[in-house]
Amino acid sequence: MEERIKYYSTNLKAPEVSFREALMRGIAPDGGLYMPRFIPSLSPEELSGYRGKDYPETAFSFLYKFLKTEIEAEVLISLCRDAYNFDIPIEAAGTRSYILRLDQGPTASFKDFAARMMARLMNHFTAGEKKHYTILTATSGDTGSAVASAFHGLSNINVIILFPLGEVSDTQRKQMTTLHGNVKVIGINGKFDDCQHIVKKAFLDKSLSDLNLTSANSINIGRLLPQSVYYIYAWSRTASLPVIFSVPSGNYGNLMGGIIAREAGLPVKKFIIATNENDEVPEYLRTGVYKIIAPSRNCISSAMNVGHPSNLARIVALYGGMMDEQGNILKPPDLERMRRDFHGISVSDNTTRETIASSYRDHGILFEPHGAVAWKGLEHYRGMGSLEKEHETVYISLETAHPAKFPGEIERILDYTPPGHPSLENLEELEEDYTQMENDYGSFIRYIFKHS
Ligand SMILES: *Cc1c(COP(=O)(O)O)cnc(C)c1O
């Protein structure tokens, strides 16, 4: 009998559950986040074997280590093949530096990697049930479109997406509102925080318990594990030397995926935590004092405008500490070890724009704002002339969205129109369908009873 990996809550006041239950619940009943009790390790042979595997095989091999007691191998491999049917380019960019482009999925952001696998796993686990589920999610843009696309067309799962009417680009809105069917979209006359607030209230609302609400935000462990895979894949496709990754971070789900890969044995020397002007985590690493930024600062890398990252509690837990939902540190983590493993840097909007300009001008490399923040973080780190054995290190910077999602910004900076992305091409012609709503929980409740 293989040992089943149990998932505990970071608040430590809820029972441990299976992967399936953690996936379907999203958040633990005590308000904490689920984490695997132990992380399986990859042997040196397994690690070197990844070089010969394509992306779906890499995903299968890694995920099966976590899921083998809960899903059959043949099922999982076919879900992986189905989810990862697009390119994952790795672009060389100077001495032992690479850019991992995670922008070729159907909605042109890296969120497709997580959302597509999560949707397929949820569909698999609930297929035989009579129950109907509703995925409720708040978005500032990319999560909504990735989740909508990933769950579109499923028969036993509805999706309801809340977005702030004035804070989402026309393209991002159309990516969600032109799907129809089981994808319902609400534009709230408010800010992202208001949408998030309604969603959080709904999860705790006992009157909604018959609706089987679940979350597709990055608090869901089902979104994190698939995000470990591209770290392993990128390493296996470059020199397979010890690696330093630069990760453009907002809610830290992407980084958590990388950390899980490292815990499993991937030889990661360091993660560069690159943020925009929402620098609460780099500041925490520097000073040891954690201060939420509220309201969050509006930057051009808008998917990273987060003043209190929801996955920080998981990182704190992995380093032996405990943080509650409000960001209070109930037990300090091992900050010295965190400082060895992470290098935090905040990049201003002006520097982000300069980086987009200079990378294109000097090297012909095109970034959108999020990827530019990561690249600047990497340049800054290498410029520090660290003590790392340089010739034995590979550097990989993550590009998390396609430049075609930000045509206005890029045209202003470069005087050049970025190439298109197939998923964004014919959006103009499609019919939109969404409900506009005041920022009012009562209206939301009436809507949800009518539509789930
Ligand atoms: C969501 C998002 C991020 C931030 O990722 P986290 O996992 O929340 O840290 C970065 N870039 C883009 C384009 C995103 O959509």
Side-chain angles (χ1 to χ4, degrees):
M1 215 10 220
E2 287 278 358
E3 194 189 343
R4 182 177 279 242
I5 301 176
K6 290 285 197 180
Y7 293 77
Y8 70 93
S9 161
T10 50
N11 282 355
L12 304 176
K13 292 197 185 73
E16 296 192 355
V17 298
S18 64
F19 175 80
R20 176 200 167 121
E21 200 174 338
L23 174 75
M24 296 314 299
R25 278 181 181 277
I27 197 158
D30 62 357
L33 307 183
Y34 285 117
M35 282 287 282
R37 173 55 64 203
F38 74 92
I39 294 175
S41 49
L42 301 164
S43 67
E45 295 72 41
E46 277 175 304
L47 274 170
S48 56
Y50 281 117
R51 193 181 273 278
K53 293 189 195 313
D54 65 13
Y55 195 89
E57 288 164 350
T58 304
F60 164 74
S61 151
F62 182 76
L63 295 174
Y64 194 58
K65 290 181 104 45
F66 288 83
L67 303 181
K68 60 171 79 155
T69 60
E70 303 192 49
I71 189 169
E72 305 80 57
E74 306 76 65
V75 174
L76 187 59
I77 184 74
S78 75
L79 297 187
C80 290
R81 289 218 175 282
D82 194 47
Y84 302 117
N85 57 357
F86 49 86
D87 280 351
I88 298 138
I90 298 171
E91 193 177 321
T95 320
R96 290 183 316 281
S97 281
Y98 299 87
I99 297 153
L100 173 61
R101 293 202 181 262
L102 302 170
D103 60 358
Q104 301 291 303
T107 72
S109 91
F110 89 105
K111 296 209 166 60
D112 285 324
F113 283 82
R116 286 172 70 77
M117 198 64 216
M118 181 171 66
R120 281 161 180 77
L121 288 168
M122 281 187 174
N123 189 43
H124 166 76
F125 283 126
T126 59
E129 294 183 17
K130 295 255 181 327
K131 266 191 188 166
H132 206 97
Y133 289 86
T134 299
I135 305 272
L136 186 58
T137 212
T139 186
S140 54
D142 290 335
T143 291
S145 48
V147 166
S149 155
F151 285 87
H152 183 227
L154 299 184
S155 59
N156 58 340
I157 305 180
N158 272 347
V159 179
I160 299 179
I161 297 168
L162 277 70
F163 75 90
L165 276 168
E167 292 184 3
V168 162
S169 74
D170 285 356
T171 305
Q172 285 175 322
R173 188 189 68 244
K174 285 178 185 162
Q175 283 184 294
M176 306 184 269
T177 58
T178 54
L179 291 169
H180 314 289
N182 65 328
V183 175
K184 311 272 189 273
V185 184
I186 306 175
I188 296 285
N189 192 7
K191 302 196 45 109
F192 170 70
D193 290 338
D194 300 319
C195 300
Q196 184 74 37
H197 186 74
I198 292 176
V199 166
K200 283 194 175 149
K201 198 160 166 182
F203 282 129
L204 299 173
D205 189 337
K206 296 243 166 11
S207 78
L208 301 178
S209 61
D210 288 347
L211 301 179
N212 300 311
L213 292 182
T214 186
S215 159
N217 285 84
S218 64
I219 52 172
N220 195 310
I221 185 76
R223 259 182 70 171
L224 293 188
L225 298 182
Q227 292 184 155
S228 300
V229 175
Y230 46 75
Y231 288 91
I232 298 172
Y233 178 79
W235 172 82
S236 77
R237 288 307 188 274
T238 54
S240 303
L241 290 169
V243 54
I244 294 181
F245 287 104
S246 185
V247 187
S249 293
N251 262 319
Y252 291 76
N254 195 355
L255 182 70
M256 260 316 294
I259 295 173
I260 292 173
R262 187 200 61 200
E263 295 287 302
L266 189 69
V268 180
K269 278 185 164 178
K270 211 178 254 316
F271 290 102
I272 297 165
I273 295 179
T275 70
N276 59 26
E277 292 165 30
N278 293 282
D279 59 354
E280 64 281 357
V281 177
E283 279 301 294
Y284 174 55
L285 288 172
R286 200 171 66 78
T287 63
V289 180
Y290 180 62
K291 272 214 226 86
I292 289 176
I293 298 177
S296 60
R297 297 172 184 145
N298 270 337
C299 296
I300 55 171
S301 46
S302 53
M304 309 194 317
N305 293 341
V306 182
H308 174 40
S310 50
N311 278 291
L312 194 56
R314 284 192 164 111
I315 299 175
V316 168
L318 262 181
Y319 283 81
M322 194 172 167
M323 175 183 269
D324 70 11
E325 299 91 274
Q326 285 76 40
N328 302 307
I329 296 178
L330 306 179
K331 181 178 167 217
D334 184 344
L335 205 56
E336 282 316 304
R337 193 157 64 86
M338 287 175 77
R339 285 174 176 147
R340 280 198 298 276
D341 291 351
F342 305 120
H343 175 76
I345 171 158
S346 158
V347 178
S348 70
D349 272 358
N350 276 341
T351 306
T352 305
R353 292 192 179 100
E354 279 164 25
T355 305
I356 292 175
S358 62
S359 307
Y360 190 69
R361 192 184 55 224
D362 302 342
H363 307 288
I365 297 171
L366 183 59
F367 289 112
E368 54 69 58
H370 306 79
V373 166
W375 182 252
K376 184 67 207 176
L378 187 56
E379 278 189 333
H380 168 86
Y381 182 78
R382 292 193 77 167
M384 288 177 7
S386 66
L387 304 174
E388 254 55 77
K389 291 185 189 134
E390 267 278 332
H391 57 286
E392 289 171 16
T393 308
V394 161
Y395 298 86
I396 302 177
S397 191
L398 275 54
E399 172 54 286
T400 46
H402 194 277
K405 283 196 125 169
F406 303 87
E409 192 64 50
I410 289 174
E411 274 160 26
R412 271 193 297 282
I413 299 168
L414 298 179
D415 207 9
Y416 154 84
T417 307
H421 184 282
S423 71
L424 308 173
E425 230 93 275
N426 59 1
L427 279 178
E428 288 308 319
E429 287 119 61
L430 302 175
E431 194 183 324
E432 287 193 74
D433 178 18
Y434 65 103
T435 303
Q436 301 200 16
M437 195 179 279
E438 287 309 307
N439 173 25
D440 167 42
Y441 189 67
S443 314
F444 171 74
I445 290 291
R446 283 190 292 284
Y447 176 95
I448 197 172
F449 274 113
K450 213 166 120 200
H451 288 93
S452 8

